Amino acid sequence: MFKKVHLRLTLLCAGITAVIMLVMSLCYLYVSEKGLYRNQFQAFQNDINTISTNLEQQNVISMEWLSKMEAQGNYRFFVLDNGVPFLFNQLNDPADSGSSRLLLESRDSRNKLSEQNATVTVSDGINGTLTHYEYEFSSPSTETRYFCSVIQLGTGSSVLEVVVLSSLQRLELQMQEQRVRFLLIDIAATILLGVFAWFFTGILLKPIAENQQKQAMFVAAASHELRTPLSVILSAAECCRDATPERQEGFIRTIYQEGLRVSSLVTDMLTLSQSDSHRFPVRKEPTELDTLLMNSYEAFEPLAREKSLQLSLTLPDGALPLCDVDPERISQVIAILLHNAISYTPDQGRIELSLARHKERFAVSVQDNGIGISDADKKRIFDRFYRVEKSRSRKDHFGLGLSIAYEIIKAHGGSIQVTDAEGGGSCFTVVL
Ligand code: ADP
């Protein structure tokens, strides 16, 4: 399921970014091509202005000058006297039918042009009236677009016409190259984006996938834990129906005890689920930690004595400042630690509950000389439903105590850790 989500997220992220990039590239291309076209037209206009000034000032049009101009730039010149082409270039050469076709096409386009599309200027020069047409046309024979400028000198029966054509082929080629370059860049960037999106969405989804896996494991472990007492309750109820009144009492006691187990397990699971959904109520208030520890000591002392364990309490000398904690929750943590210490310490063992102050912090520790915890297990004992193999048989331990303690301490902004106690056993330290 996560693979599908991963793929979809990658496609979504990369797709959206690629579309934005494509739109930006198209905008850039549009602006850039407009600029290139404008520049080319500007350069053409400047050249035409120079040519028309030269033509105006010369009495005779020098063919040499025109061919020099043609050789220099990207221009084609045609000179016509009263509409008849001069033998300046190979217009009359039957081999160069392309030139005459081009000239005809340029004339056709001029005839078809409405006045709005062409720039027409009329001025009085030294050698008579100078009429200047400027327009753009597309030649079907060469499949190229041209800027065309027609300069007409004189009026009536004596009209000298110079037609200048500038091919836009090079500009179009430049634009095409630019488009291909942008397309390649966009494709490469989209592939890169896809790779990055796959990588980053993978990082984003990792904790969600882990969380989902943890949830699934939690549900499986919870169902497993609930199944055992429930099946005992069901079979006890079944037996109770047909049992004699004397035996019935035993079955009812079993049902009650297993019911208590289920209830305590459900309470633990509810606490953890509240913590997961950040609905874990922590009501902090200034608390005397030493008094809180004394109360815990008094509560567990009889239980320890029952198991022939020696429970001791060590408190710092003198008055202590108040600590801002939820007293009920912290008592719950101490109860979990003491309960575990009593459970995992053999008879005649020692358990020490102590409080120490380090500057602004308080350290509550529960140390025992019991069975101890291996280094590998130390890393996992705060996980939900985790129990060290040898403690699995204990009926009143579900492997949730330390995970609840961990969540409570986390909600207080403190820390909880386990170390080996000197001479064997374990030492749990809570820093608040
Ligand atoms: P449980 O309800 O099973 O005690 P916890 O979460 O409180 O669950 O503890 C997890 C596991 O850590 C226990 O099953 C036990 O194996 C180990 N453990 C906890 N406290 C001690 C201790 N004081 N000494 C040895 N092992 C301990």
Side-chain angles (χ1 to χ4, degrees), residues 32-41 74 136 144-145 147 166-179:
S32 156
E33 287 184 6
K34 275 246 161 201
L36 283 173
Y37 181 87
R38 210 181 309 118
N39 288 349
Q40 174 112 348
F41 190 62
N74 190 25
E136 189 197 317
T144 311
R145 283 192 304 150
F147 284 142
S166 167
S167 161
L168 293 182
Q169 201 174 19
R170 214 184 287 170
L171 178 74
E172 276 168 356
L173 212 69
Q174 198 181 343
M175 285 178 179
Q176 237 161 38
E177 270 175 16
Q178 190 169 269
R179 281 177 202 173

Side-chain angles (χ1 to χ4, degrees), residues 303-304 307-311 337-352 366-372 394 397 424-426 428:
L303 191 65
K307 260 197 86 185
S308 315
L309 295 168
Q310 187 192 329
L311 178 63
L337 298 180
L338 283 175
H339 191 229
N340 278 348
I342 292 171
S343 304
Y344 303 115
T345 305
D347 293 358
Q348 314 301 329
R350 273 179 291 107
I351 298 165
E352 191 182 328
V366 176
Q367 183 172 330
D368 62 60
N369 63 349
I371 57 174
R394 289 167 202 263
H397 288 265
S426 355
F428 285 85

Side-chain angles (χ1 to χ4, degrees), residues 116-183:
Q116 289 98 309
N117 285 345
T119 321
V120 185
T121 49
V122 182
S123 59
D124 284 329
I126 308 161
N127 298 318
T129 316
L130 191 93
T131 315
H132 190 175
Y133 298 87
E134 246 168 32
Y135 57 94
E136 189 197 317
F137 80 97
S138 187
S139 154
S141 61
T142 56
E143 290 180 350
T144 311
R145 283 192 304 150
Y146 289 90
F147 284 142
C148 178
S149 178
V150 181
I151 303 158
Q152 282 180 353
L153 260 173
T155 44
S157 56
S158 157
V159 180
L160 181 73
E161 204 173 275
V162 179
V163 179
V164 188
L165 295 181
S166 167
S167 161
L168 293 182
Q169 201 174 19
R170 214 184 287 170
L171 178 74
E172 276 168 356
L173 212 69
Q174 198 181 343
M175 285 178 179
Q176 237 161 38
E177 270 175 16
Q178 190 169 269
R179 281 177 202 173
V180 171
R181 221 175 296 140
F182 262 81
L183 186 73

